[in-house]
Amino acid sequence: MFSIVGRVTMGVFLLLFSQLSFAQDKKDKKDNIGTEVVNVVKPYTPTISDAFKVKEVPVITNEENAKKESVKYSILPFPVASTFSPSKGNAQGVEKAKQERLFKNYATFGIGNYGALNTELYVNEDLNNNEYIGGMFRHNSSQGGIKEITLDDFYYDTKIDLIYGSNEEEMAWDLKLGYQNQIYNWYGLPAAFGNTLTLPQSMALVNGIDPQQSYNTITAGGSLVFEEALVKDVKLELTHFSDAYSSAENRFLLAPTFKFDVLDEEIKTKVFVDYVDGSFKKDYSGTNTADIKYGFTNLGIVPSFVMKRDDWTIDIGAGLVYSMGKDNTSNKFYVYPSVTASYNVVSDLMIFYASAIGNLQQNTYKDFVDGNPFVSPTLNIKPTNELYDISAGLKGKLASTVSYDIKASYVYDENKALFKSNDYTESDTNANYAFGNSFQVIYDDMKIMRLYGEIKADLAKGITVEVDGTFNSYSNKYQEEAWNLPEIELNSKLDFMVTEKWFAGVNLFYVGELKDQQLNTDIVYVTAPGPITLDGYFDLNANIRFKYSERFTTFLKANNIMNNGYQKWLNYPVQGFQVMVGGNYKFDF
């Protein structure tokens, strides 16, 4: 054993020695470093260094390795059969509100002080699935009785309308026929009437006045509405208006509307032919020898282009009107703006809207009577050139049950029609309307700045409130005042349900001061009197309703509760406190 180990050891030693000798010999050829003595003090004792535990989360300082990898993954849905079976439950019972029955017909009857009578009857019946026929009868009258009035002040207003129509799949049409009779009295004598006469002369003059005037209106017409056609709708009206003083007026109005799309945009075109022709037997002085005639034909077209972009809606157009007078001396061509726009600022909570619109308004004797039934049958009739009406406003909701509307307008009208009292004399040869108890129509160029505000609210179940106000500022070119136009108009309304059977309502409105002017031309004035101011007035009205059944309801109405004998027109005080009781009955055939 030893010999083998010794031989191996000796072989290794000889090999190492030969390598060292060879290396040393080679080294000596290049550089002789001399000899060195090595003293071995202690034999070599190897040691093992202490081991260190590797951290579980090593700190990586390599910036390249610190970047997060983008991981992309997808979910592969796999249907799993559910073994869950919910237990059956009972739905919570909800009390259904009883649906109120709707009736096609109704009748109303009411009587009150001042000999007031108010009746209405409306009937409507379906002839088949498409055709129907209907009619409306109305009568409103009072026997008068205003304090300190020397002339009759009763009035009657009776009207009947008939309609026959059809609603088909692609078209709806109707035909209308109507008649109205109105009786009024020129009871508004000036407060100083008779000052130039003796008392017997004044009394004889007043007793000789017949203040009654009656108006008769016959109407016929119809309308067409198409679902899908180039012609959207057509309106036709024929009106004949006359009075007890041989005045007569005819009006014809035809107004079709066309609608079509171009490149997904809507284009509308309104066309109208408006013709009026009339005459008065006398002028105000009664010196004319021939009838006073008037007549105008207005031909108009109003094309417009509608654009809708997100929250914007804009309707851009222009009105072109050619007016021809009966005497062929007042023919004229007009161009008007016709632009409307709206923008949803905050959904339906705030909507901004604006418009610039003009029009040639066709004035008629009937329209003036509707505005003031105490005009004299001697009027000057001509159109009003509404150059532009520019307005802008905001409307929307303050809450889910509260809505508002605020608008500012600037209007410029040429030949704006104004009511003004007629001057008078105290002569027994005058017409019955020529004693300061009638009104004329005068024209002026007028600029109007107007601010309008409205708010409506449903405060609780069955309680609604409405309040609105209009504030005007007038600028006249020729006249001293904006005759009989108020600067302030306020209106408020409250309706509420007391119980399921009892209902009530209150309405309060205010009209500001009015200006008028009137002269007794029998008097020679050193200084002519200036305009007369009519005080502004409040009017409070209320009503109570009791619903006896789904068919029958009784009511009690009270008007002018404050018993204010204000003057709506100069020398025309209104009735004081008025009360009316009646009922309404709904039915079907």
Side-chain angles (χ1 to χ4, degrees), residues 397-419:
K397 292 183 177 180
L398 299 175
S400 60
T401 59
V402 181
S403 63
Y404 67 93
D405 188 356
I406 302 174
K407 181 174 68 174
S409 304
Y410 180 69
V411 183
Y412 183 30
D413 290 342
E414 289 183 347
N415 294 326
K416 173 74 173 179
L418 303 172
F419 295 113

Side-chain angles (χ1 to χ4, degrees), residues 4 9 12 17 25 34 54 64 66 86 123 137 176 179 199 221 228 258 275 288 337 348 392:
I4 296 174
T9 303
V12 172
F17 181 78
D25 184 63
V54 180
E64 190 71 20
V123 294
F137 171 81
K176 299 177 182 178
Y179 172 76
L199 182 58
E228 296 291 340
F258 301 89
Y275 167 81
N288 61 300
D348 61 344

